[in-house]
Amino acid sequence: NIVMTQSPKSMSISVGDRVTMNCKASQNVGNNIAWYQQKPGQSPKLLIYYASNRYTGVPDRFTGGGYGTDFTLTINSVQAEDAAFYYCQRIYNSPTFGGGTKLELK
Amino acid sequence: EVQLVESGGGLVQPGRSLKLSCAASGFTFSSFAMAWVRQAPKKGLEWVATITSGGSNTYYPDSVKGRFTISRDNAKSTLYLQMDSLRSEDTATYYCAIFSGAYWGQGTLVTVSS
């Protein structure tokens, strides 16, 4: 079974900063990765699919990258509303989520 | 507008069964694979089950295989999750989602406790 490992587990960032979080797959998954944002009390929201494609309506400050085993989600000029948990997911019949990264604002 | 509305959650004793439903609207339900994802309190997301658009293929992680059954009624645009032999570690909010991840329901809470 493929394991998805996210790092860091949490980060504290100031508004306007640029932040990059990581997702590592235990095996080559090509570009079959999605990224989700989840705020407390809400359902997850799709941000990025197939590693680098921004979903409809997602601000262009969110950028996904990577291929194979190493993936990144970058947020340029973080806004207050970006405080949330972020999860990567392997896109597959048997999808697997990473453990998540908590983004807090200073 | 796409809507996914889960129901059927509640408090259940260990070893008992519960069946969740997810009513879909606003899209052609029969054309999309669907999934159930759960989230234990203060924990991350865990995929629970996937079913193909026609219902012929299903997939489960080892943690629920043999205990949970996903099914669908395309005529009623409804997704189901039959959960048997429930354990305390199954306590979570259960979300239904279009497999692509584009749309999720608001979730239904299942608490397994004596």
Side-chain angles (χ1 to χ4, degrees), chain B residues 8 13 30 42 63 65 81 92 98 102 113-114:
Chain B
Q13 293 179 327
S30 59
K42 303 295 185 186
S63 58
K65 195 175 294 182
L81 184 68
I98 295 178
S113 174
S114 53

Side-chain angles (χ1 to χ4, degrees), chain A residues 54 57-63 74 76:
Chain A
R54 203 176 293 117
V58 174
D60 59 9
R61 63 180 181 273
F62 291 89
T63 302
T74 297
N76 288 302

Side-chain angles (χ1 to χ4, degrees), chain A residues 1-7 9 22-26 29 32-38 42-49 71 85-101, chain B residues 34-40 43-50 59 61 63 93-104:
Chain A
N1 292 339
I2 292 180
V3 176
M4 309 301 295
T5 303
Q6 289 186 244
S7 61
K9 290 194 186 310
N22 304 288
C23 176
K24 187 172 185 67
S26 60
V29 296
N32 293 309
I33 288 293
W35 288 93
Y36 296 86
Q37 177 193 67
Q38 187 183 31
Q42 295 185 16
S43 307
K45 289 182 169 55
L46 179 64
L47 296 174
I48 302 288
Y49 61 98
F71 301 88
F85 283 89
Y86 292 85
Y87 296 94
C88 65
Q89 180 204 35
R90 180 200 179 196
I91 302 170
Y92 189 58
N93 287 334
S94 308
T96 308
F97 289 94
T101 292
Chain B
M34 299 292 295
W36 288 96
V37 176
R38 68 184 179 184
Q39 187 169 35
K43 298 294 185 182
L45 301 170
E46 181 187 14
W47 162 70
V48 171
T50 302
Y59 306 88
S63 58
T93 295
Y94 285 73
Y95 298 99
C96 74
I98 295 178
F99 182 71
S100 67
Y103 294 96
W104 295 61

Side-chain angles (χ1 to χ4, degrees), chain B residues 6-12 18-21 36-42 83 86 88 90-96 105-112:
Chain B
E6 302 94 339
S7 61
L11 176 63
V12 61
L18 202 63
K19 187 172 186 176
L20 306 183
S21 300
W36 288 96
V37 176
R38 68 184 179 184
Q39 187 169 35
K42 303 295 185 186
M83 303 184 293
L86 282 162
S88 58
D90 296 319
T91 294
T93 295
Y94 285 73
Y95 298 99
C96 74
Q106 285 305 301
T108 187
L109 178 62
V110 173
T111 303
V112 184

